[in-house]
Amino acid sequence: MTAPPLVDRYPLAFKLYPYKRSPDQDAAEPVRHPVVVVGGGPVGLAIALDLGRRGQPVVVLDDHEGVGQGSRAICFSKRTLEIAHRLGAGLPMLEKGVVWQKGRVFRDRGELFSFDLLPEDGHRFPAFINLQQPYFEKFLVEAIHAARAEGASIDIRGRNRLDAVQPIEGEGGMLLEVSTPDGPYKIIADWIIACDGARSPMRDMLGLDFEGRVFEDNFLIADVKMKADFPTERWFWFEPWFKSGASALLHKQPDDIWRIDFQLGWDIDREKELKEDNIRARVDAMLGPDIAYELDWCSIYTFQCRRMRTFQEGRVFFAGDAAHQVSPFGARGANSGIQDAENLAWKLDLVLRGVATHSLLQSYSVERVYAADENILNSTRATDFLTPKSEMSRTFRDAVLTLAEKHAFARPLVNSGRLSVPAVYDGMPLNGPDELDGPARSRVGASCPDAPHGDGFLLDRLGEGFTLLMLNADATDHLAESGLKIERLTRASSDDPSGALSERYLGEAPSAVYLIRPDRHIAARWPSYDENAVRSALRKAIGKP
């Protein structure tokens, strides 16, 4: 589809950072910067914003002047919204987005079952919102402007394309060659973060590649604008009665836009399938003759489950689609990329400040490769279920669908895309002891579950650095010298009116002490306070022996 309808739809999402000449282009020698981010998509903007808010100067190079065409990623998870909220963008995203947490799975005309992704209360954010990627990026850019007003140094350079990169012998750092409408220039970066997408030029420049699988199937995305009274749920069909594909998916977005996915198969004529008449024939069969709509954006994609061997190459880090790719079913791409950004930002900040050594940075690749493998495993299983590759696997799939209609035990086996959840860093090198007989959901390595506290929420009480969370416990203030924020909470009914805080962090334990990392993952936990144990766990969490 052509660009003008999208430009009309999202006028504020284009030229978010129009080209302007940088003083670096007139410098006699290449100017040195601590951090250069390559790519101004959601992941690049998020990590630039995070580092900038921590006081680190950041330059973002993007070969466009704003977002690209198409709604692209649309499903943003609770964990992503919590990260965005810490960065100052979560509430605008929630206000604009379409909130959903329920889904329905069909086979032919019959409903097999429904599900609820967040059946419990006591969270600031829902399980998911649907929000077109241009809006997501727009709200991040607005948060960057707000951070700049408070003194952050975040320089987004539109129409600045990276053409070449090479290490500087003896000095450390990387030399970047950048092209602009006014001609080329060079800069030096101490560290580079490549967030330049699945076709990453940076990856190619360094001679690196992906490892993994490309699945033999194609899917048509059709974003349509229409007035429809369908509920705001995720609807997925196996063997749909309207015969527009082997499977189909329907999702609502803001502005009366609906995302439709059709499974086309492997041996297709892509050019033919993207013709408007053929797209309309599939949509008409699904929606029926009485619903008027406009085609907003269409594309065909192939499932790919791949990653780089490691997400760090010298002084270059890779994040988001530049580092890993998964199939869209499950909303694991953009959400895992935002978690990449949060994982790396605090570690790089501590190294730049001299608080931690370079060894801490090695944990970025270790932890996020672990998370990528988990996403790839779930994505691969979903893809194999959606597109059986043998007669035996198809027989199994069909038997599961038949059983699921009447028997609850079979429903967990139905895989239309296991939806994104944050990785739990079980057994990772930065983890400290887990000595509390507490809830599994708040074990060491897990991200902190939110809970109401007083008039607000627990996650708002956590600091930008490390936090020592004391539940019915107390500590000396000697740890303040280590940069720890000590947050003391009780189980008083006024502080924990719903009981969710106790349920999620204490269980049956009378007290608990949690050491929480800047990215809100739990580094260690104990039943009571021990200063030496806390200091030891803190050293381990920043990569020191």
Side-chain angles (χ1 to χ4, degrees):
M1 303 306 296
T2 56
L6 187 69
V7 175
D8 293 341
R9 190 89 62 225
Y10 313 123
L12 296 179
F14 286 80
K15 294 201 172 183
L16 292 175
Y17 31 88
Y19 171 73
K20 61 180 180 180
R21 190 174 182 87
S22 165
D24 288 0
Q25 293 170 247
D26 300 315
E29 298 291 335
V31 176
R32 193 176 193 108
H33 297 276
V35 181
V36 173
V37 176
V38 180
V43 179
L45 293 173
I47 199 163
L49 176 57
D50 204 342
L51 284 166
R53 286 167 54 95
R54 295 178 186 279
Q56 300 298 342
V58 185
V59 172
V60 181
L61 304 178
D62 194 88
D63 56 356
H64 300 292
E65 294 180 294
V67 302
Q69 295 183 25
S71 59
R72 297 179 290 169
I74 63 165
C75 294
F76 294 99
S77 70
K78 177 177 179 290
R79 173 71 171 134
T80 293
L81 293 172
E82 289 168 350
I83 295 170
H85 183 57
R86 181 178 62 79
L87 298 177
L91 292 181
M93 292 173 181
L94 178 61
E95 182 179 358
K96 181 64 179 178
V98 172
V99 173
W100 71 276
Q101 64 188 49
K102 295 183 179 180
R104 300 168 71 184
V105 179
F106 303 87
R107 186 184 190 187
D108 195 10
R109 293 182 181 272
E111 182 174 342
L112 298 181
F113 61 92
S114 62
F115 59 85
D116 188 333
L117 294 171
L118 192 63
E120 63 182 14
D121 295 327
H123 297 270
R124 180 191 293 278
F125 291 103
F128 277 91
I129 64 167
N130 283 355
L131 180 72
Q132 295 93 325
Q133 185 171 320
Y135 282 126
F136 191 90
E137 295 180 22
K138 173 180 177 291
F139 292 131
L140 285 176
V141 171
E142 289 176 353
I144 286 173
H145 291 322
R148 283 175 179 162
E150 296 179 358
S153 177
I154 308 170
D155 183 5
I156 310 178
R157 301 182 184 178
R159 298 185 71 185
N160 275 238
R161 186 186 69 224
L162 177 65
D163 285 341
V165 62
Q166 64 183 49
I168 301 174
E169 297 296 334
E171 294 184 27
M174 306 288 286
L175 180 66
L176 295 82
E177 298 180 21
V178 184
S179 64
T180 75
D182 290 333
Y185 71 104
K186 298 179 180 180
I187 56 175
I188 296 171
D190 290 331
W191 299 96
I192 299 175
I193 307 172
C195 308
D196 51 348
R199 297 183 177 89
S200 170
M202 175 68 75
R203 200 174 58 236
D204 291 341
M205 291 173 196
L206 296 179
L208 304 172
D209 204 353
F210 276 137
E211 300 173 353
R213 295 174 60 186
V214 177
F215 290 87
E216 295 184 355
D217 215 333
N218 293 283
F219 291 78
L220 171 68
I221 291 176
D223 278 359
V224 304
K225 182 175 177 64
M226 64 180 178
K227 298 286 187 180
D229 58 1
F230 304 130
T232 53
E233 300 172 341
R234 181 186 192 263
W235 286 8
F236 189 94
W237 287 265
F238 290 97
E239 302 168 357
W241 57 270
F242 41 84
K243 308 300 182 186
S244 289
S247 67
L249 176 70
L250 179 68
H251 257 289
K252 185 178 182 180
Q253 305 175 57
D255 304 328
D256 295 320
I257 303 292
W258 294 76
R259 162 68 56 84
I260 304 174
D261 285 63
F262 297 117
Q263 183 181 353
L264 303 183
W266 180 243
D267 189 16
I268 65 168
D269 183 333
R270 295 172 70 93
E271 184 176 346
K272 178 181 176 182
E273 292 291 350
L274 282 172
K275 288 183 178 179
E276 184 169 335
D277 287 348
N278 292 328
I279 295 172
R280 285 188 173 276
R282 293 185 183 277
V283 176
D284 289 345
M286 180 186 195
L287 300 179
D290 299 328
I291 296 182
Y293 65 87
E294 302 172 19
L295 291 176
D296 186 72
W297 178 69
C298 299
S299 180
I300 289 177
Y301 62 87
T302 301
F303 274 2
Q304 300 187 45
C305 293
R306 308 186 296 171
R307 68 164 173 85
M308 298 178 66
R309 183 182 59 82
T310 176
F311 296 172
Q312 181 182 2
E313 182 69 20
R315 288 184 169 266
V316 181
F317 300 97
F318 291 84
D321 286 350
H324 46 76
Q325 289 178 272
V326 291
S327 64
F329 288 136
R332 295 175 179 274
N335 289 301
S336 63
I338 296 297
Q339 291 167 46
D340 291 346
E342 187 178 49
N343 185 288
L344 179 57
W346 70 270
K347 296 173 180 177
L348 187 53
D349 172 61
L350 290 183
V351 170
L352 288 168
R353 293 181 186 279
V355 175
T357 65
H358 289 188
S359 63
L360 176 61
L361 298 176
Q362 297 171 6
S363 70
Y364 165 70
S365 182
V366 172
E367 291 182 343
R368 295 313 298 165
V369 163
Y370 177 86
D373 284 345
E374 181 179 281
N375 283 324
I376 287 171
L377 176 63
N378 280 286
S379 189
T380 299
R381 286 173 174 171
T383 306
D384 286 338
F385 195 87
L386 289 170
T387 60
K389 299 301 185 294
S390 69
E391 196 62 37
M392 182 62 70
S393 60
R394 180 171 293 279
T395 299
F396 170 78
R397 197 279 302 270
D398 291 348
V400 167
L401 294 177
T402 298
L403 288 168
E405 186 172 6
K406 294 183 179 180
H407 301 285
F409 79 87
R411 290 167 191 167
L413 300 176
V414 176
N415 197 334
S416 62
R418 305 280 188 238
L419 286 153
S420 175
V421 294
V424 178
Y425 300 135
D426 288 320
M428 293 289 100
L430 301 186
N431 290 357
D434 191 345
E435 297 178 359
L436 178 72
D437 185 17
R441 67 193 297 181
S442 55
R443 68 186 183 273
V444 170
S447 61
C448 289
D450 205 1
H453 185 262
D455 296 331
F457 287 87
L458 174 65
L459 293 186
D460 295 338
R461 304 287 298 270
L462 306 182
E464 291 289 303
F466 282 87
T467 299
L468 194 65
L469 179 63
M470 316 289 296
L471 295 167
N472 295 338
D474 206 356
T476 66
D477 291 325
H478 298 158
L479 289 168
E481 66 198 43
S482 303
L484 269 178
K485 177 184 179 184
I486 299 176
E487 192 65 52
R488 297 174 172 87
L489 304 181
T490 68
R491 299 175 73 171
S493 58
S494 59
D495 292 331
D496 188 17
S498 67
L501 179 65
S502 298
E503 184 271 326
R504 293 167 195 174
Y505 284 88
L506 285 169
E508 299 301 319
S511 63
V513 176
Y514 283 80
L515 179 62
I516 299 172
R517 302 180 350 175
D519 58 2
R520 278 80 186 278
H521 278 260
I522 295 164
R525 64 179 185 173
W526 305 267
S528 60
Y529 174 70
D530 181 315
E531 182 174 331
N532 290 332
V534 172
R535 288 185 180 277
S536 177
L538 180 60
R539 286 195 300 272
K540 189 174 184 184
I542 61 173
K544 290 186 175 181

